[in-house]
Amino acid sequence: MPDRSVHFQAVIRWVRKETRDTSTYALRIADSAIRKSYTFKPGQFNMLYLPGYGEAAISISSGSADHDLLHTVRVAGDVTTALSILREGDSIGMRGPFGRGWPMEETRSRDLMVIAGGAGIAPLRPVIRHVYKNKRSCPGSDVILYGAKTPKDVIYRNEFPRYRGVFQVLLTVDRADPEEYWKWERGLVTHLLDKASFDPLSTVVFVCGPEIMMQAAIRELMLRGVPAEKIFLSMERNMNCGMGICGHCFFGPKFVCRDGPVFAFTEVEEFMGIKEI
Ligand SMILES: Cc1cc2nc3c(=O)[nH]c(=O)nc-3n(C[C@H](O)[C@H](O)[C@H](O)COP(=O)(O)OP(=O)(O)OC[C@H]3O[C@@H](n4cnc5c(N)ncnc54)[C@H](O)[C@@H]3O)c2cc1C
């Protein structure tokens, strides 16, 4: 594995615009020895580096068996704005992979429910890709619930129809203009729980999105009987080193970069919803 305190170069192979402010970048690690030794787990992230701008933590959004190393980036500030003007053939710096990913072993013996809001679908895409590629004996028992603000904000919009048949796929938007084509649901992502068919006692749930959405989803899941210890979530905090040294990303006593970003709900429930923690 590469030394994670040192940047290595990656070349942009292609860029796909997902929404007005979000694009997916396919990266190729330039050094062949690093490329061959580089592996990651679903839910891990890289630090992407642009000289003169700095670094940003960005989840890996490709599956571990996929050909391209993908990152889906929403323009938020300095680094992501600078990244948004780069094109195919440009180089960026990268360190990683970092963090503890999703507990994929849980998906072997249990049905999987993925709940994502907005850009929270990016770190869950490797999970979806994994389950999709290793098709189950019982198709349709795994569920994807995804919510975005409007139809224009749906990331990976062309991929969802493909996942049907393996997953129950339910999409929703907060609002859609009457003239906009939208054949899925309207309303909060948590409302989709009423439309999904799942057994709370044999399902493991992976959740990622705005914290308020994750809190609401977890509340609804527990009301429906999903055990707290079978709910996992990916947290986002400003981070600097990515390696559990600088303390920028403290969440209670935990480092989001090193102990997370994926946590069991039971590990973090006492800190959730507390501002500035
Ligand atoms: C584990 C992890 C995984 C992540 N995965 C992804 C991912 O897959 N995709 C993704 O897009 N993001 C992801 N993020 C979030 C991403 O790291 C942050 O958005 C990061 O801060 C972007 O860096 P930046 O330099 O572009 O923005 P920053 O400059 O750090 O800005 C971040 C925040 O400050 C605000 N801000 C910046 N400049 C100004 C200003 N002048 N005035 C007012 N407000 C301002 C921005 O609106 C934004 O809310 C992840 C974060 C973590 C911790």
PDB file of all heavy atoms in Angstrom, residues 45 53 55-60 71-81 119 122-123 234-239 256 261, ligand 1:
ATOM      1  N   PHE A  45     -12.196   6.640   1.969  1.00  0.00           N
ATOM      2  CA  PHE A  45     -12.069   7.900   1.220  1.00  0.00           C
ATOM      3  C   PHE A  45     -10.606   8.197   0.932  1.00  0.00           C
ATOM      4  O   PHE A  45      -9.701   7.626   1.560  1.00  0.00           O
ATOM      5  CB  PHE A  45     -12.713   9.054   1.999  1.00  0.00           C
ATOM      6  CG  PHE A  45     -12.054   9.366   3.321  1.00  0.00           C
ATOM      7  CD1 PHE A  45     -11.083  10.359   3.417  1.00  0.00           C
ATOM      8  CD2 PHE A  45     -12.389   8.670   4.469  1.00  0.00           C
ATOM      9  CE1 PHE A  45     -10.468  10.651   4.630  1.00  0.00           C
ATOM     10  CE2 PHE A  45     -11.776   8.953   5.699  1.00  0.00           C
ATOM     11  CZ  PHE A  45     -10.817   9.945   5.776  1.00  0.00           C
ATOM     12  N   TYR A  53      -4.354  25.149  -3.348  1.00  0.00           N
ATOM     13  CA  TYR A  53      -5.733  25.179  -2.835  1.00  0.00           C
ATOM     14  C   TYR A  53      -5.881  24.336  -1.566  1.00  0.00           C
ATOM     15  O   TYR A  53      -6.586  24.710  -0.652  1.00  0.00           O
ATOM     16  CB  TYR A  53      -6.722  24.691  -3.903  1.00  0.00           C
ATOM     17  CG  TYR A  53      -6.743  25.591  -5.108  1.00  0.00           C
ATOM     18  CD1 TYR A  53      -5.956  25.300  -6.221  1.00  0.00           C
ATOM     19  CD2 TYR A  53      -7.509  26.751  -5.116  1.00  0.00           C
ATOM     20  CE1 TYR A  53      -5.951  26.139  -7.323  1.00  0.00           C
ATOM     21  CE2 TYR A  53      -7.508  27.596  -6.207  1.00  0.00           C
ATOM     22  CZ  TYR A  53      -6.725  27.293  -7.309  1.00  0.00           C
ATOM     23  OH  TYR A  53      -6.712  28.131  -8.384  1.00  0.00           O
ATOM     24  N   GLU A  55      -6.402  20.342   0.396  1.00  0.00           N
ATOM     25  CA  GLU A  55      -6.878  18.968   0.289  1.00  0.00           C
ATOM     26  C   GLU A  55      -8.353  18.893   0.673  1.00  0.00           C
ATOM     27  O   GLU A  55      -8.814  19.658   1.518  1.00  0.00           O
ATOM     28  CB  GLU A  55      -6.155  18.087   1.303  1.00  0.00           C
ATOM     29  CG  GLU A  55      -4.765  17.689   0.950  1.00  0.00           C
ATOM     30  CD  GLU A  55      -4.269  16.647   1.939  1.00  0.00           C
ATOM     31  OE1 GLU A  55      -4.397  16.838   3.161  1.00  0.00           O
ATOM     32  OE2 GLU A  55      -3.769  15.627   1.486  1.00  0.00           O
ATOM     33  N   ALA A  56      -9.058  17.928   0.100  1.00  0.00           N
ATOM     34  CA  ALA A  56     -10.433  17.643   0.537  1.00  0.00           C
ATOM     35  C   ALA A  56     -10.615  16.133   0.637  1.00  0.00           C
ATOM     36  O   ALA A  56     -10.103  15.381  -0.203  1.00  0.00           O
ATOM     37  CB  ALA A  56     -11.441  18.240  -0.453  1.00  0.00           C
ATOM     38  N   ALA A  57     -11.339  15.719   1.673  1.00  0.00           N
ATOM     39  CA  ALA A  57     -11.673  14.298   1.830  1.00  0.00           C
ATOM     40  C   ALA A  57     -12.796  13.967   0.863  1.00  0.00           C
ATOM     41  O   ALA A  57     -13.846  14.623   0.884  1.00  0.00           O
ATOM     42  CB  ALA A  57     -12.130  14.042   3.265  1.00  0.00           C
ATOM     43  N   ILE A  58     -12.595  12.981   0.001  1.00  0.00           N
ATOM     44  CA  ILE A  58     -13.629  12.592  -0.959  1.00  0.00           C
ATOM     45  C   ILE A  58     -13.747  11.065  -0.964  1.00  0.00           C
ATOM     46  O   ILE A  58     -12.755  10.348  -1.119  1.00  0.00           O
ATOM     47  CB  ILE A  58     -13.287  13.100  -2.387  1.00  0.00           C
ATOM     48  CG1 ILE A  58     -13.114  14.634  -2.399  1.00  0.00           C
ATOM     49  CG2 ILE A  58     -14.363  12.647  -3.380  1.00  0.00           C
ATOM     50  CD1 ILE A  58     -14.346  15.479  -2.124  1.00  0.00           C
ATOM     51  N   SER A  59     -14.970  10.580  -0.801  1.00  0.00           N
ATOM     52  CA  SER A  59     -15.216   9.141  -0.764  1.00  0.00           C
ATOM     53  C   SER A  59     -14.889   8.499  -2.103  1.00  0.00           C
ATOM     54  O   SER A  59     -15.052   9.117  -3.151  1.00  0.00           O
ATOM     55  CB  SER A  59     -16.692   8.867  -0.472  1.00  0.00           C
ATOM     56  OG  SER A  59     -17.071   9.523   0.696  1.00  0.00           O
ATOM     57  N   ILE A  60     -14.490   7.256  -2.041  1.00  0.00           N
ATOM     58  CA  ILE A  60     -14.293   6.494  -3.268  1.00  0.00           C
ATOM     59  C   ILE A  60     -15.674   5.973  -3.677  1.00  0.00           C
ATOM     60  O   ILE A  60     -16.371   5.362  -2.863  1.00  0.00           O
ATOM     61  CB  ILE A  60     -13.314   5.332  -3.020  1.00  0.00           C
ATOM     62  CG1 ILE A  60     -11.976   5.890  -2.542  1.00  0.00           C
ATOM     63  CG2 ILE A  60     -13.154   4.490  -4.289  1.00  0.00           C
ATOM     64  CD1 ILE A  60     -11.058   4.871  -1.902  1.00  0.00           C
ATOM     65  N   HIS A  71     -14.445   9.196  -8.029  1.00  0.00           N
ATOM     66  CA  HIS A  71     -14.760  10.110  -6.927  1.00  0.00           C
ATOM     67  C   HIS A  71     -15.858  11.043  -7.428  1.00  0.00           C
ATOM     68  O   HIS A  71     -15.715  11.621  -8.505  1.00  0.00           O
ATOM     69  CB  HIS A  71     -13.541  10.947  -6.540  1.00  0.00           C
ATOM     70  CG  HIS A  71     -12.415  10.125  -5.984  1.00  0.00           C
ATOM     71  ND1 HIS A  71     -11.589   9.379  -6.774  1.00  0.00           N
ATOM     72  CD2 HIS A  71     -12.007   9.937  -4.711  1.00  0.00           C
ATOM     73  CE1 HIS A  71     -10.709   8.755  -6.009  1.00  0.00           C
ATOM     74  NE2 HIS A  71     -10.936   9.070  -4.756  1.00  0.00           N
ATOM     75  N   THR A  72     -16.911  11.194  -6.664  1.00  0.00           N
ATOM     76  CA  THR A  72     -18.011  12.075  -7.060  1.00  0.00           C
ATOM     77  C   THR A  72     -17.961  13.298  -6.158  1.00  0.00           C
ATOM     78  O   THR A  72     -18.053  13.169  -4.932  1.00  0.00           O
ATOM     79  CB  THR A  72     -19.360  11.331  -6.940  1.00  0.00           C
ATOM     80  OG1 THR A  72     -19.312  10.216  -7.823  1.00  0.00           O
ATOM     81  CG2 THR A  72     -20.528  12.232  -7.295  1.00  0.00           C
ATOM     82  N   VAL A  73     -17.779  14.464  -6.768  1.00  0.00           N
ATOM     83  CA  VAL A  73     -17.430  15.653  -5.985  1.00  0.00           C
ATOM     84  C   VAL A  73     -18.453  16.761  -6.195  1.00  0.00           C
ATOM     85  O   VAL A  73     -18.757  17.142  -7.327  1.00  0.00           O
ATOM     86  CB  VAL A  73     -16.030  16.173  -6.393  1.00  0.00           C
ATOM     87  CG1 VAL A  73     -15.628  17.352  -5.514  1.00  0.00           C
ATOM     88  CG2 VAL A  73     -14.993  15.056  -6.295  1.00  0.00           C
ATOM     89  N   ARG A  74     -18.964  17.283  -5.075  1.00  0.00           N
ATOM     90  CA  ARG A  74     -19.871  18.435  -5.118  1.00  0.00           C
ATOM     91  C   ARG A  74     -19.057  19.694  -4.824  1.00  0.00           C
ATOM     92  O   ARG A  74     -18.262  19.712  -3.879  1.00  0.00           O
ATOM     93  CB  ARG A  74     -20.976  18.279  -4.080  1.00  0.00           C
ATOM     94  CG  ARG A  74     -22.106  19.293  -4.230  1.00  0.00           C
ATOM     95  CD  ARG A  74     -23.293  18.862  -3.409  1.00  0.00           C
ATOM     96  NE  ARG A  74     -22.972  18.869  -1.991  1.00  0.00           N
ATOM     97  CZ  ARG A  74     -23.040  19.940  -1.209  1.00  0.00           C
ATOM     98  NH1 ARG A  74     -23.431  21.098  -1.687  1.00  0.00           N
ATOM     99  NH2 ARG A  74     -22.741  19.856   0.071  1.00  0.00           N
ATOM    100  N   VAL A  75     -19.266  20.735  -5.604  1.00  0.00           N
ATOM    101  CA  VAL A  75     -18.527  21.982  -5.392  1.00  0.00           C
ATOM    102  C   VAL A  75     -18.992  22.600  -4.074  1.00  0.00           C
ATOM    103  O   VAL A  75     -20.179  22.889  -3.892  1.00  0.00           O
ATOM    104  CB  VAL A  75     -18.768  22.960  -6.562  1.00  0.00           C
ATOM    105  CG1 VAL A  75     -18.155  24.316  -6.256  1.00  0.00           C
ATOM    106  CG2 VAL A  75     -18.176  22.390  -7.846  1.00  0.00           C
ATOM    107  N   ALA A  76     -18.021  22.747  -3.140  1.00  0.00           N
ATOM    108  CA  ALA A  76     -18.366  23.296  -1.825  1.00  0.00           C
ATOM    109  C   ALA A  76     -17.506  24.497  -1.473  1.00  0.00           C
ATOM    110  O   ALA A  76     -17.985  25.467  -0.903  1.00  0.00           O
ATOM    111  CB  ALA A  76     -18.198  22.216  -0.749  1.00  0.00           C
ATOM    112  N   GLY A  77     -16.229  24.464  -1.803  1.00  0.00           N
ATOM    113  CA  GLY A  77     -15.317  25.537  -1.403  1.00  0.00           C
ATOM    114  C   GLY A  77     -14.078  25.519  -2.275  1.00  0.00           C
ATOM    115  O   GLY A  77     -14.148  25.184  -3.458  1.00  0.00           O
ATOM    116  N   ASP A  78     -12.925  25.828  -1.675  1.00  0.00           N
ATOM    117  CA  ASP A  78     -11.696  26.068  -2.439  1.00  0.00           C
ATOM    118  C   ASP A  78     -11.282  24.889  -3.321  1.00  0.00           C
ATOM    119  O   ASP A  78     -11.126  25.022  -4.535  1.00  0.00           O
ATOM    120  CB  ASP A  78     -10.545  26.381  -1.469  1.00  0.00           C
ATOM    121  CG  ASP A  78     -10.778  27.681  -0.732  1.00  0.00           C
ATOM    122  OD1 ASP A  78     -11.671  28.441  -1.155  1.00  0.00           O
ATOM    123  OD2 ASP A  78     -10.079  27.927   0.266  1.00  0.00           O
ATOM    124  N   VAL A  79     -11.067  23.737  -2.708  1.00  0.00           N
ATOM    125  CA  VAL A  79     -10.488  22.609  -3.444  1.00  0.00           C
ATOM    126  C   VAL A  79     -11.472  22.088  -4.493  1.00  0.00           C
ATOM    127  O   VAL A  79     -11.109  21.853  -5.651  1.00  0.00           O
ATOM    128  CB  VAL A  79     -10.104  21.470  -2.466  1.00  0.00           C
ATOM    129  CG1 VAL A  79      -9.596  20.250  -3.230  1.00  0.00           C
ATOM    130  CG2 VAL A  79      -9.055  21.960  -1.484  1.00  0.00           C
ATOM    131  N   THR A  80     -12.714  21.940  -4.086  1.00  0.00           N
ATOM    132  CA  THR A  80     -13.687  21.355  -5.010  1.00  0.00           C
ATOM    133  C   THR A  80     -14.023  22.310  -6.160  1.00  0.00           C
ATOM    134  O   THR A  80     -14.314  21.863  -7.266  1.00  0.00           O
ATOM    135  CB  THR A  80     -14.955  20.933  -4.241  1.00  0.00           C
ATOM    136  OG1 THR A  80     -15.379  22.015  -3.410  1.00  0.00           O
ATOM    137  CG2 THR A  80     -14.699  19.712  -3.375  1.00  0.00           C
ATOM    138  N   THR A  81     -13.934  23.620  -5.917  1.00  0.00           N
ATOM    139  CA  THR A  81     -14.135  24.574  -7.016  1.00  0.00           C
ATOM    140  C   THR A  81     -12.974  24.480  -7.999  1.00  0.00           C
ATOM    141  O   THR A  81     -13.175  24.428  -9.225  1.00  0.00           O
ATOM    142  CB  THR A  81     -14.250  26.017  -6.490  1.00  0.00           C
ATOM    143  OG1 THR A  81     -15.322  26.072  -5.563  1.00  0.00           O
ATOM    144  CG2 THR A  81     -14.503  27.018  -7.610  1.00  0.00           C
ATOM    145  N   ALA A 119     -25.728  13.946  -1.783  1.00  0.00           N
ATOM    146  CA  ALA A 119     -24.407  13.416  -2.143  1.00  0.00           C
ATOM    147  C   ALA A 119     -24.027  12.214  -1.292  1.00  0.00           C
ATOM    148  O   ALA A 119     -23.000  11.567  -1.551  1.00  0.00           O
ATOM    149  CB  ALA A 119     -23.365  14.518  -1.998  1.00  0.00           C
ATOM    150  N   ALA A 122     -22.774   8.810  -2.718  1.00  0.00           N
ATOM    151  CA  ALA A 122     -21.426   8.522  -3.251  1.00  0.00           C
ATOM    152  C   ALA A 122     -20.699   7.426  -2.464  1.00  0.00           C
ATOM    153  O   ALA A 122     -20.233   6.449  -3.066  1.00  0.00           O
ATOM    154  CB  ALA A 122     -20.598   9.806  -3.324  1.00  0.00           C
ATOM    155  N   PRO A 123     -20.593   7.522  -1.122  1.00  0.00           N
ATOM    156  CA  PRO A 123     -19.888   6.452  -0.406  1.00  0.00           C
ATOM    157  C   PRO A 123     -20.658   5.138  -0.350  1.00  0.00           C
ATOM    158  O   PRO A 123     -20.109   4.114   0.041  1.00  0.00           O
ATOM    159  CB  PRO A 123     -19.705   7.023   1.009  1.00  0.00           C
ATOM    160  CG  PRO A 123     -20.668   8.128   1.124  1.00  0.00           C
ATOM    161  CD  PRO A 123     -20.944   8.653  -0.243  1.00  0.00           C
ATOM    162  N   SER A 234     -22.408   6.805   7.880  1.00  0.00           N
ATOM    163  CA  SER A 234     -21.130   7.422   7.542  1.00  0.00           C
ATOM    164  C   SER A 234     -21.206   8.904   7.918  1.00  0.00           C
ATOM    165  O   SER A 234     -22.107   9.612   7.481  1.00  0.00           O
ATOM    166  CB  SER A 234     -20.849   7.246   6.046  1.00  0.00           C
ATOM    167  OG  SER A 234     -19.570   7.747   5.743  1.00  0.00           O
ATOM    168  N   MET A 235     -20.258   9.345   8.735  1.00  0.00           N
ATOM    169  CA  MET A 235     -20.261  10.722   9.253  1.00  0.00           C
ATOM    170  C   MET A 235     -19.336  11.606   8.418  1.00  0.00           C
ATOM    171  O   MET A 235     -18.354  11.132   7.855  1.00  0.00           O
ATOM    172  CB  MET A 235     -19.743  10.766  10.691  1.00  0.00           C
ATOM    173  CG  MET A 235     -20.531   9.982  11.695  1.00  0.00           C
ATOM    174  SD  MET A 235     -22.187  10.591  11.945  1.00  0.00           S
ATOM    175  CE  MET A 235     -21.920  12.284  12.438  1.00  0.00           C
ATOM    176  N   GLU A 236     -19.641  12.892   8.394  1.00  0.00           N
ATOM    177  CA  GLU A 236     -18.781  13.856   7.695  1.00  0.00           C
ATOM    178  C   GLU A 236     -18.345  14.935   8.668  1.00  0.00           C
ATOM    179  O   GLU A 236     -19.174  15.491   9.372  1.00  0.00           O
ATOM    180  CB  GLU A 236     -19.564  14.488   6.555  1.00  0.00           C
ATOM    181  CG  GLU A 236     -18.710  14.727   5.346  1.00  0.00           C
ATOM    182  CD  GLU A 236     -19.469  15.372   4.220  1.00  0.00           C
ATOM    183  OE1 GLU A 236     -19.597  16.604   4.245  1.00  0.00           O
ATOM    184  OE2 GLU A 236     -19.944  14.638   3.341  1.00  0.00           O
ATOM    185  N   ARG A 237     -17.062  15.191   8.731  1.00  0.00           N
ATOM    186  CA  ARG A 237     -16.516  16.283   9.530  1.00  0.00           C
ATOM    187  C   ARG A 237     -15.361  16.901   8.759  1.00  0.00           C
ATOM    188  O   ARG A 237     -14.702  16.217   7.987  1.00  0.00           O
ATOM    189  CB  ARG A 237     -15.979  15.766  10.876  1.00  0.00           C
ATOM    190  CG  ARG A 237     -17.062  15.438  11.896  1.00  0.00           C
ATOM    191  CD  ARG A 237     -17.728  16.705  12.398  1.00  0.00           C
ATOM    192  NE  ARG A 237     -18.775  16.478  13.377  1.00  0.00           N
ATOM    193  CZ  ARG A 237     -20.031  16.173  13.109  1.00  0.00           C
ATOM    194  NH1 ARG A 237     -20.423  16.024  11.865  1.00  0.00           N
ATOM    195  NH2 ARG A 237     -20.926  16.018  14.059  1.00  0.00           N
ATOM    196  N   ASN A 238     -15.082  18.185   8.972  1.00  0.00           N
ATOM    197  CA  ASN A 238     -13.894  18.780   8.365  1.00  0.00           C
ATOM    198  C   ASN A 238     -12.681  18.004   8.829  1.00  0.00           C
ATOM    199  O   ASN A 238     -12.557  17.717  10.012  1.00  0.00           O
ATOM    200  CB  ASN A 238     -13.741  20.238   8.801  1.00  0.00           C
ATOM    201  CG  ASN A 238     -14.581  21.133   7.923  1.00  0.00           C
ATOM    202  OD1 ASN A 238     -14.921  20.755   6.809  1.00  0.00           O
ATOM    203  ND2 ASN A 238     -14.919  22.296   8.432  1.00  0.00           N
ATOM    204  N   MET A 239     -11.822  17.649   7.913  1.00  0.00           N
ATOM    205  CA  MET A 239     -10.643  16.924   8.370  1.00  0.00           C
ATOM    206  C   MET A 239      -9.394  17.411   7.669  1.00  0.00           C
ATOM    207  O   MET A 239      -9.452  18.014   6.609  1.00  0.00           O
ATOM    208  CB  MET A 239     -10.837  15.425   8.254  1.00  0.00           C
ATOM    209  CG  MET A 239     -11.255  14.880   6.928  1.00  0.00           C
ATOM    210  SD  MET A 239     -11.431  13.102   6.993  1.00  0.00           S
ATOM    211  CE  MET A 239     -12.741  12.829   8.154  1.00  0.00           C
ATOM    212  N   VAL A 256     -13.235  10.960  13.239  1.00  0.00           N
ATOM    213  CA  VAL A 256     -14.045  10.486  12.103  1.00  0.00           C
ATOM    214  C   VAL A 256     -13.133   9.849  11.044  1.00  0.00           C
ATOM    215  O   VAL A 256     -13.467   8.837  10.435  1.00  0.00           O
ATOM    216  CB  VAL A 256     -14.895  11.621  11.492  1.00  0.00           C
ATOM    217  CG1 VAL A 256     -15.553  11.188  10.182  1.00  0.00           C
ATOM    218  CG2 VAL A 256     -15.974  12.050  12.479  1.00  0.00           C
ATOM    219  N   PRO A 261     -14.995   6.822   8.585  1.00  0.00           N
ATOM    220  CA  PRO A 261     -16.217   7.602   8.737  1.00  0.00           C
ATOM    221  C   PRO A 261     -17.452   6.744   9.017  1.00  0.00           C
ATOM    222  O   PRO A 261     -18.466   7.276   9.400  1.00  0.00           O
ATOM    223  CB  PRO A 261     -16.349   8.318   7.388  1.00  0.00           C
ATOM    224  CG  PRO A 261     -15.644   7.436   6.405  1.00  0.00           C
ATOM    225  CD  PRO A 261     -14.525   6.802   7.171  1.00  0.00           C
TER     226      PRO A 261
HETATM  227  C1  LIG B   1     -15.092  11.098   5.105  1.00  0.00           C
HETATM  228  C2  LIG B   1     -15.597  12.176   4.171  1.00  0.00           C
HETATM  229  C3  LIG B   1     -16.001  11.860   2.904  1.00  0.00           C
HETATM  230  C4  LIG B   1     -16.448  12.849   2.032  1.00  0.00           C
HETATM  231  N1  LIG B   1     -16.841  12.485   0.779  1.00  0.00           N
HETATM  232  C5  LIG B   1     -17.217  13.430  -0.085  1.00  0.00           C
HETATM  233  C6  LIG B   1     -17.585  13.070  -1.418  1.00  0.00           C
HETATM  234  O1  LIG B   1     -17.568  11.900  -1.814  1.00  0.00           O
HETATM  235  N2  LIG B   1     -17.954  14.059  -2.252  1.00  0.00           N
HETATM  236  C7  LIG B   1     -17.984  15.379  -1.854  1.00  0.00           C
HETATM  237  O2  LIG B   1     -18.326  16.234  -2.677  1.00  0.00           O
HETATM  238  N3  LIG B   1     -17.665  15.748  -0.594  1.00  0.00           N
HETATM  239  C8  LIG B   1     -17.266  14.809   0.291  1.00  0.00           C
HETATM  240  N4  LIG B   1     -16.924  15.181   1.545  1.00  0.00           N
HETATM  241  C9  LIG B   1     -17.016  16.606   1.938  1.00  0.00           C
HETATM  242  C10 LIG B   1     -15.783  17.382   1.517  1.00  0.00           C
HETATM  243  O3  LIG B   1     -14.616  16.842   2.123  1.00  0.00           O
HETATM  244  C11 LIG B   1     -15.970  18.851   1.977  1.00  0.00           C
HETATM  245  O4  LIG B   1     -17.027  19.445   1.303  1.00  0.00           O
HETATM  246  C12 LIG B   1     -14.688  19.648   1.808  1.00  0.00           C
HETATM  247  O5  LIG B   1     -14.667  20.676   2.785  1.00  0.00           O
HETATM  248  C13 LIG B   1     -14.585  20.291   0.432  1.00  0.00           C
HETATM  249  O6  LIG B   1     -13.379  21.019   0.381  1.00  0.00           O
HETATM  250  P1  LIG B   1     -13.307  22.447  -0.239  1.00  0.00           P
HETATM  251  O7  LIG B   1     -11.918  22.937  -0.035  1.00  0.00           O
HETATM  252  O8  LIG B   1     -13.835  22.434  -1.619  1.00  0.00           O
HETATM  253  O9  LIG B   1     -14.346  23.251   0.614  1.00  0.00           O
HETATM  254  P2  LIG B   1     -14.022  24.171   1.882  1.00  0.00           P
HETATM  255  O10 LIG B   1     -13.268  25.358   1.421  1.00  0.00           O
HETATM  256  O11 LIG B   1     -13.454  23.297   2.930  1.00  0.00           O
HETATM  257  O12 LIG B   1     -15.493  24.601   2.241  1.00  0.00           O
HETATM  258  C14 LIG B   1     -16.303  23.749   3.002  1.00  0.00           C
HETATM  259  C15 LIG B   1     -17.503  24.495   3.543  1.00  0.00           C
HETATM  260  O13 LIG B   1     -17.257  25.840   3.809  1.00  0.00           O
HETATM  261  C16 LIG B   1     -18.156  26.635   3.030  1.00  0.00           C
HETATM  262  N5  LIG B   1     -17.421  27.740   2.445  1.00  0.00           N
HETATM  263  C17 LIG B   1     -16.287  27.652   1.730  1.00  0.00           C
HETATM  264  N6  LIG B   1     -15.912  28.863   1.340  1.00  0.00           N
HETATM  265  C18 LIG B   1     -16.835  29.736   1.809  1.00  0.00           C
HETATM  266  C19 LIG B   1     -17.009  31.131   1.746  1.00  0.00           C
HETATM  267  N7  LIG B   1     -16.156  31.911   1.103  1.00  0.00           N
HETATM  268  N8  LIG B   1     -18.090  31.685   2.366  1.00  0.00           N
HETATM  269  C20 LIG B   1     -18.956  30.917   3.005  1.00  0.00           C
HETATM  270  N9  LIG B   1     -18.851  29.590   3.109  1.00  0.00           N
HETATM  271  C21 LIG B   1     -17.814  29.009   2.518  1.00  0.00           C
HETATM  272  C22 LIG B   1     -18.657  25.775   1.956  1.00  0.00           C
HETATM  273  O14 LIG B   1     -19.954  26.143   1.564  1.00  0.00           O
HETATM  274  C23 LIG B   1     -18.667  24.462   2.606  1.00  0.00           C
HETATM  275  O15 LIG B   1     -19.845  24.272   3.350  1.00  0.00           O
HETATM  276  C24 LIG B   1     -16.488  14.201   2.452  1.00  0.00           C
HETATM  277  C25 LIG B   1     -16.089  14.533   3.736  1.00  0.00           C
HETATM  278  C26 LIG B   1     -15.648  13.543   4.600  1.00  0.00           C
HETATM  279  C27 LIG B   1     -15.219  13.909   5.983  1.00  0.00           C
END
